[in-house]
Amino acid sequence: MNEEHLWCLKENGYDAGLHKHYEGLFTQGNGYMHARGSFEEGCSDAPQDEEYLRFPDNVTLEKPRHPKSKQGTFIPGIVAQHPLLKEEIVNLPYMLGLELRSAGESLDMDRSRISGYSRWLDLRDGCLHRSLIWETPGGMLLKCTFERYISIADKHLCIQRIQVEVLAGEGRLEVRATLRGDVRTNGMNHFARIVPGAEGTAGGLSLETLTEQGNQIFMHSVLDATEAVTWQEENSLVTAAHRGEFAVQTGDRLTVSKLTAVTTDRDIEEGGADSRVLAQLSQAREIGWDQLYERHAACWKSKWQEADIIIKGDDLAQLNVRASIYHLLRANAPEDARVAICAKGYAGEAYFGRYFWDTEINLLPFYLHTNPQAARNLLLFRYNTLDGARRNAQNYGYRGARYAWESSLSGEEQCANWQYADHEIHITADIVYALYHYVRATGDQDFLEHYGIDILVETARYWCDRVDWNREGVGELLGVMGPDEYLPFTRNNAFTNRMVKFSLEQTIACLDSLQGSKPDSHAAAVERLGIRPEEQELFRYTAEKLRLPYDSGTDIVPQSDDFASYADLDFNSIWTDRSRPFGHFISQERNYRSKALKQADVLELMLLFPQEFSKEQLKASYDYYEPITTHDSSLSVAVHGIVASWLNQPEAAANFLQRVMAIDLSLEKKGAAEGIHIANCGGLWQLIVYGLAGLKSAMWSKDIKLAPRLPKGWTELSFQLAWQGERYRITIHPDAHEVHKLEGRSYVAGTTL
């Protein structure tokens, strides 16, 4: 049976209104660089150099600009300053330019006579394909086939090919290859200098770019054709271009290949970026087109062997989960701890290339159990930006380290909206939770000793300063925005307070453990961090006295101490169109004083600390909060799906599964237009693994424990897990499940609930 339909995202028929959506959905990359799925020849009436000023706005309610096309080339770590929005990733020059022209007309999807159009992204190897028939003004019928990939094996390379088959007629065909610098990022020109040139050999072109931040980017391309051609240089001030002309007739086949190498001054490799880019091209040409692809495909195959989830009985879910895994694999640079994964998965400008709590809570579990080294580097990023977190705390008047709600390279706060930057403080504790999740999943205790202890102590200092003490001597956290961003000034948000208590408790436990088992390491930490004798007791006292607005006898866990005092709403009278976010139908002022959740808050708490809540508390809280949760955040639906599965509500869980899958793939929602909701990709993985497979989190279990509840129609679910330094294959059927340690060293079987 041909399984292509389970591996390919397809666009059958061109619709200009969906073009931006497919650009995001078809984003390619390899961790080092990424490119949106734009047409090689560009799009008519969609200039990429429009200049405008984007203002700070509510992240949910901001109305993005809607040009027909928004190209994007991103290298994590290449950033610049926006005059209002602080630091943002730079949309780099467009390296994919390959244009066709015949009889005075350029191939244009909106203006040319096109038939037989199809485009598809093959998730197995990350290759993007496009096929169409172009009827030229001169009467030729040309079958044009495009394919390209960004190599995951040779990370500086982008490989493209166009094949033109003349089905009828004869005439002349022009091919124009470009590297274009007429690009803006959120309306801003971040380029201080652009130098187009020739690579030095026939069919070679180059573009050297200097950003206003001082980064150098080198793009060099070489062209090959199956027919003899003399390439003519056609450079402009900001574009490097070569043009070749061919005489063709019925039956002819012409193939033009473009090999592009990209290097920057931020690269990990030694040596100058200008010399390395030429070396990359030279080496690639020696390897050859076929071998380059084989290396690339083999690397993807290896990644899929470790990360794939196999679903039998639901082809739609199978394709959707693979699409999410593809973007999770593509977006991560597992060898570079200087960057993390931005909220749009490097598939758009919308979130400025910044890093949120999504990384630790939504994304990390996937990497923990597929590529633990990648998970380690994501946490090393937080260690590497600890100085920035220290500066954040100092700027707010506190000791220690306060992690940014929106972080860029330095770790300093980049969020231009005070509501989130000032009050959404739980990220500082979320990072400690993720740190321990990693250690417990991998057994990497050395990470705590060499890196984690610094994060623990510095964040504990911040929390001790941030806590207020009431007349009864109880510690409180006031003026807090929890995960639910529709209530910004709450008192003792349950999620935040529990995470902070956990963070302080683990700091104490780590210090006590080091002092008892590794006194030299403890002494080194005391000296390095300047830990005073009384500080450890302060951490302990604050953890013990910090208030939690619930206990084991609480039926419905309150979102915060003051949640009951907020106003009730008649959702049906306010939210008249459920296809649009609730926030569009209510003023922010009213929303901020009402019981309308943007996303899971208490349920997120219960997901992270499941052992602390009874089944009755879980059900009561789910029944209470779900009807007043708007799911205006893409982080919300997967959490509810997991809880519904835990509560053995299969219809609700299946409904949430469909909603999670629709966030990026629905043509009606066009959800990928501004980039991939990468946290939702991680959420889908968690919904399947933690929810439907019922895996107990490694945070709370040393052994693999499953309580599966497969959706109706699913006949099999299987996936690999990295667990405590070993790899396992999990296979689940409707009535039983199996856990195999790979290489057959052990075997565990169980009965499905």
Side-chain angles (χ1 to χ4, degrees):
M1 179 181 174
N2 184 358
E3 291 194 348
E4 183 178 288
H5 69 292
L6 302 177
W7 285 100
C8 291
L9 293 175
K10 295 185 178 180
E11 176 191 20
N12 294 312
Y14 174 66
D15 180 345
L18 292 171
H19 185 59
K20 257 184 82 177
H21 168 70
Y22 280 111
E23 284 182 319
L25 189 62
F26 288 168
T27 296
Q28 298 169 280
N30 58 14
Y32 170 75
M33 64 178 172
H34 309 268
R36 279 169 62 89
S38 304
F39 293 147
E40 286 81 354
E41 69 277 5
C43 217
S44 63
D45 306 318
Q48 300 299 305
D49 57 355
E50 289 185 289
E51 296 194 358
Y52 58 91
L53 194 59
R54 185 178 173 189
F55 290 87
D57 203 350
N58 182 300
V59 294
T60 305
L61 306 182
E62 181 182 11
K63 295 180 180 179
R65 294 167 61 87
H66 287 296
K68 187 191 310 180
S69 164
K70 182 56 182 174
Q71 297 165 355
T73 307
F74 304 105
I75 294 181
I78 304 295
V79 299
Q81 288 290 327
H82 187 284
L84 299 178
L85 301 169
K86 301 189 179 182
E87 200 167 78
E88 65 177 352
I89 195 168
V90 177
N91 192 343
L92 297 173
Y94 190 64
M95 64 181 173
L96 301 173
L98 273 175
E99 306 161 11
L100 300 179
R101 185 175 179 83
S102 182
E105 178 186 86
S106 296
L107 172 65
D108 188 303
M109 289 300 303
D110 293 303
R111 296 177 177 177
S112 301
R113 298 188 65 175
I114 302 295
S115 61
Y117 171 86
S118 64
R119 188 163 57 141
W120 64 99
L121 176 66
D122 193 326
L123 303 171
R124 290 168 292 192
D125 59 8
C127 289
L128 183 59
H129 306 263
R130 178 166 52 128
S131 179
L132 57 93
I133 296 174
W134 173 26
E135 183 179 345
T136 73
M140 286 195 295
L141 281 182
L142 305 179
K143 182 177 181 180
C144 304
T145 304
F146 299 76
E147 60 180 7
R148 72 178 191 240
Y149 64 92
I150 294 176
S151 177
I152 202 165
D154 301 282
K155 66 182 183 180
H156 294 280
L157 300 182
C158 176
I159 292 93
Q160 299 173 257
R161 272 183 171 173
I162 301 179
Q163 184 179 85
V164 180
E165 180 181 358
V166 185
L167 302 180
E170 62 180 32
R172 302 195 71 79
L173 178 67
E174 295 178 18
V175 179
R176 186 170 183 262
T178 62
L179 299 169
R180 290 193 1 256
D182 54 341
V183 176
R184 301 294 180 265
T185 307
N186 285 311
M188 301 302 300
N189 180 8
H190 289 307
F191 302 141
R193 186 175 73 244
I194 297 175
V195 182
E199 185 266 332
T201 61
L205 59 158
S206 67
L207 195 70
E208 299 178 10
T209 305
L210 177 69
T211 71
E212 59 187 10
Q213 200 93 337
N215 287 122
Q216 293 177 297
I217 301 95
F218 294 85
M219 294 180 173
H220 284 230
S221 300
V222 290
L223 306 172
D224 285 320
T226 53
E227 301 295 329
V229 62
T230 299
W231 296 101
Q232 301 294 325
E233 187 176 324
E234 292 186 344
N235 294 346
S236 70
L237 289 176
V238 295
T239 298
H242 274 29
R243 180 178 60 84
E245 190 171 344
F246 305 85
V248 294
Q249 60 184 0
T250 302
D252 284 354
R253 288 176 181 263
L254 169 68
T255 301
V256 175
S257 302
K258 180 183 179 186
L259 173 62
T260 302
V262 182
T263 59
T264 81
D265 64 333
R266 281 197 89 254
D267 296 346
I268 295 174
E269 298 91 340
E270 295 182 357
D274 52 348
S275 59
R276 284 188 293 105
V277 74
L278 296 175
Q280 288 284 339
L281 276 180
S282 176
Q283 182 183 14
R285 299 187 82 178
E286 289 179 9
I287 293 172
W289 297 94
D290 293 341
Q291 187 63 28
L292 283 173
Y293 172 75
E294 289 177 9
R295 290 156 59 102
H296 166 77
C299 191
W300 266 113
K301 183 178 180 181
S302 175
K303 288 182 176 293
W304 278 114
Q305 285 175 339
E306 295 179 343
D308 192 18
I309 289 178
I310 299 171
I311 299 168
K312 295 182 180 179
D314 189 338
D315 289 356
L316 178 62
Q318 178 67 90
L319 179 61
N320 273 262
V321 72
R322 281 178 172 156
S324 289
I325 292 172
Y326 162 81
H327 284 294
L328 289 165
L329 294 174
R330 170 194 61 76
N332 177 242
E335 73 289 343
D336 190 352
R338 302 172 302 164
V339 295
I341 300 172
C342 83
K344 284 298 182 183
Y346 300 112
E349 302 173 351
Y351 281 94
F352 316 104
R354 296 178 193 156
Y355 316 123
F356 293 69
W357 73 305
D358 311 7
T359 307
E360 284 72 31
I361 302 303
N362 298 88
L363 301 181
L364 191 77
F366 168 80
Y367 299 105
L368 279 179
H369 296 300
T370 59
N371 184 354
Q373 179 61 42
R376 190 176 193 272
N377 271 355
L378 288 173
L379 290 166
L380 275 176
F381 169 78
R382 296 300 192 180
Y383 173 80
N384 291 336
T385 56
L386 185 57
D387 280 344
R390 289 184 176 111
R391 289 190 289 272
N392 292 333
Q394 185 178 14
N395 289 339
Y396 279 95
Y398 302 117
R399 296 179 306 130
R402 180 191 199 271
Y403 279 96
W405 178 243
E406 297 182 22
S407 176
S408 187
L409 302 184
S410 69
E412 294 180 53
E413 183 63 73
Q414 302 299 325
C415 182
N417 296 82
W418 61 269
Q419 299 99 315
Y420 314 108
D422 290 356
H423 300 285
E424 205 149 11
I425 58 175
H426 61 81
I427 185 171
T428 299
D430 301 340
I431 288 167
V432 171
Y433 183 97
L435 169 64
Y436 271 87
H437 195 179
Y438 165 76
V439 170
R440 292 175 182 177
T442 63
D444 185 3
Q445 293 291 333
D446 287 345
F447 191 88
L448 271 179
E449 179 183 349
H450 294 105
Y451 305 104
I453 186 64
D454 295 55
I455 295 174
L456 289 166
V457 170
E458 291 289 34
T459 57
R461 285 170 170 163
Y462 164 71
W463 290 125
C464 289
D465 269 15
R466 180 60 175 78
V467 167
D468 289 300
W469 297 91
N470 64 24
R471 293 177 180 177
E472 288 75 38
V474 176
E476 299 189 292
L477 287 169
L478 310 178
V480 169
M481 178 185 281
D484 168 27
E485 295 178 340
Y486 282 169
L487 288 180
F489 313 117
T490 66
R491 184 187 192 101
N492 294 317
N493 171 258
F495 176 93
T496 303
N497 284 35
R498 182 63 190 98
M499 292 292 272
V500 172
K501 184 181 282 285
F502 174 87
S503 181
L504 289 167
E505 289 169 343
Q506 299 312 312
T507 304
I508 298 159
C510 184
L511 287 170
D512 287 347
S513 175
L514 281 180
Q515 192 169 16
S517 62
K518 295 187 175 182
D520 290 344
S521 292
H522 181 267
V526 167
E527 182 177 358
R528 181 174 68 253
L529 298 169
I531 303 174
R532 303 187 306 275
E534 66 272 15
E535 273 194 302
Q536 195 162 336
E537 289 310 308
L538 177 62
F539 298 161
R540 195 185 313 273
Y541 182 81
T542 305
E544 292 173 353
K545 296 296 184 179
L546 182 62
R547 173 169 168 72
L548 295 181
Y550 63 89
D551 56 34
S552 59
T554 305
D555 185 16
I556 298 172
V557 174
Q559 185 168 307
S560 59
D561 268 332
D562 53 354
F563 188 78
S565 66
Y566 288 92
D568 294 312
L569 291 177
D570 181 352
F571 282 86
N572 290 330
S573 65
I574 297 173
W575 199 1
T576 55
D577 180 1
R578 296 292 176 111
S579 68
R580 297 170 56 202
F582 170 79
H584 289 172
F585 294 83
I586 188 172
S587 69
Q588 185 166 283
E589 175 271 328
R590 186 180 182 189
N591 204 3
Y592 277 178
R593 55 185 172 84
S594 304
K595 294 176 187 169
L597 281 64
K598 180 182 176 184
Q599 65 202 78
D601 197 306
V602 167
L603 296 187
E604 183 77 65
L605 166 66
M606 292 177 159
L607 183 66
L608 298 183
F609 294 90
Q611 78 288 354
E612 296 185 5
F613 301 94
S614 68
K615 189 74 169 285
E616 291 72 24
Q617 285 179 307
L618 184 66
K619 185 177 187 308
S621 297
Y622 174 84
D623 289 344
Y624 177 70
Y625 288 110
E626 200 286 320
I628 59 174
T629 301
T630 66
H631 302 295
D632 281 356
S633 166
S634 63
L635 278 60
S636 184
V637 183
V639 174
H640 283 75
I642 295 170
V643 174
S645 184
W646 287 357
L647 291 172
N648 199 21
Q649 297 186 13
E651 290 186 8
N655 176 264
F656 283 120
L657 175 64
Q658 295 300 317
R659 292 173 65 177
V660 170
M661 295 190 299
I663 285 175
D664 274 328
L665 269 75
S666 167
L667 297 184
E668 291 73 27
K669 291 180 177 293
K670 306 177 187 178
E674 303 301 325
I676 295 298
H677 294 82
I678 198 70
N680 183 67
C681 295
L684 177 56
W685 185 91
Q686 291 192 46
L687 174 52
I688 290 173
V689 174
Y690 290 146
L692 304 181
L695 176 70
K696 188 170 184 179
S697 171
M699 186 73 158
W700 309 114
S701 178
K702 291 183 178 180
D703 303 315
I704 296 175
K705 296 180 181 179
L706 301 163
R709 294 181 178 88
L710 294 188
K712 184 178 180 180
W714 287 28
T715 59
E716 184 178 304
L717 169 65
S718 64
F719 51 89
Q720 283 193 29
L721 279 181
W723 192 280
Q724 294 291 332
E726 303 284 352
R727 297 197 74 89
Y728 298 82
R729 164 65 63 181
I730 312 299
T731 305
I732 300 169
H733 296 97
D735 57 353
H737 62 269
E738 301 171 352
V739 180
H740 289 271
K741 183 182 283 188
L742 295 186
E743 300 179 8
R745 288 195 293 268
S746 68
Y747 170 80
V748 183
T751 301
T752 301
L753 298 178

